[in-house]
Amino acid sequence: DADVTQTPRNRITKTGKRIMLECSQTKGHDRMYWYRQDPGLGLRLIYYSFDVKDINKGEISDGYSVSRQAQAKFSLSLESAIPNQTALYFCATGSTGTLLTDTQYFGPGTRLTVL
Amino acid sequence: DQQVKQNSPSLSVQEGRISILNCDYTNSMFDYFLWYKKYPAEGPTFLISISSIKDKNEDGRFTVFLNKSAKHLSLHIVPSQPGDSAVYFCAASKYGSRLTFGEGTQLTVNP
């Protein structure tokens, strides 16, 4: 079984609709992240959470919100989807290593298309 | 501002030859650097990392070099194999903080 799972894997929706992307992990990591990938722009951080009571904005949080329901669950919401939110979305988890560094482990991604 | 840059969107090499992927960064506070590999329809997977106290880290066919004075790191793959064809992302972080990723380089290894 995959350590980091994302649902749905693909979603097509219309402008103005509310969308929720879900992420679950079995790695026991305390840190969780949401990224989006766009061609030529790499991976950009949307939100991150270092534990259940901690939520932080990333580089591109406008138009998104998150909820950390439990250590293992971190969901991303688009309250009113717009076409430029069409992208590939990745959830990731991380733990601190001996140098407090943060190697992250990614889910398989959700391809979201907003028409 | 783009603190981590991969200036080559794509690279093509012959099987058995060396692949060299490059990455530049601007933030001198970065102290940990990673390379991730991404296949289509999959999430990125961790490949290799290096801390700023080292200038080289090797793992099998993969070696990462760090030149702190030039704020440059590179990933060498020797020998390259067709299965290495993927998008490679470099990433950097400051002590215990979040990662900043580059734009990615598409590597194609031709048989």
Side-chain angles (χ1 to χ4, degrees), chain A residues 64-106:
Chain A
Y64 302 94
S65 62
V66 291
S67 174
R68 184 83 184 264
Q69 301 95 323
Q71 187 199 34
K73 295 185 183 296
F74 192 38
S75 60
L76 175 72
S77 294
L78 288 69
E79 296 301 325
S80 180
I82 56 177
N84 76 1
Q85 291 178 312
T86 293
L88 195 51
Y89 289 84
F90 290 102
C91 173
T93 72
S95 64
T96 52
T98 55
L99 295 177
L100 293 183
T101 52
D102 192 8
T103 300
Q104 295 178 19
Y105 302 86
F106 285 80

Side-chain angles (χ1 to χ4, degrees), chain B residues 4-47:
Chain B
V4 178
K5 284 198 66 64
Q6 296 175 254
N7 290 312
S8 298
S10 63
L11 174 68
S12 183
V13 300
Q14 287 299 119
E15 182 178 5
R17 306 294 291 270
I18 185 171
S19 295
I20 300 176
L21 295 99
N22 294 303
C23 180
D24 297 295
Y25 62 96
T26 58
N27 190 336
S28 59
M29 298 297 290
F30 286 145
D31 57 9
Y32 187 58
F33 305 88
L34 309 88
W35 284 95
Y36 282 81
K37 179 168 70 173
K38 183 186 178 303
Y39 292 119
E42 296 182 12
T45 55
F46 170 72
L47 187 58

Side-chain angles (χ1 to χ4, degrees), chain A residues 22-93:
Chain A
E22 299 187 353
C23 177
S24 296
Q25 54 117 345
T26 58
K27 298 186 75 69
H29 289 165
D30 48 2
R31 300 182 174 199
M32 297 188 73
Y33 306 80
W34 275 105
Y35 291 89
R36 66 178 277 177
Q37 184 190 0
D38 299 277
L41 295 177
L43 293 160
R44 293 185 293 165
L45 184 63
I46 305 172
Y47 271 96
Y48 61 105
S49 168
F50 282 177
D51 65 42
V52 175
K53 296 178 181 178
D54 177 75
I55 299 289
N56 303 282
K57 292 183 177 181
E59 303 167 62
I60 53 165
S61 58
D62 287 348
Y64 302 94
S65 62
V66 291
S67 174
R68 184 83 184 264
Q69 301 95 323
Q71 187 199 34
K73 295 185 183 296
F74 192 38
S75 60
L76 175 72
S77 294
L78 288 69
E79 296 301 325
S80 180
I82 56 177
N84 76 1
Q85 291 178 312
T86 293
L88 195 51
Y89 289 84
F90 290 102
C91 173
T93 72

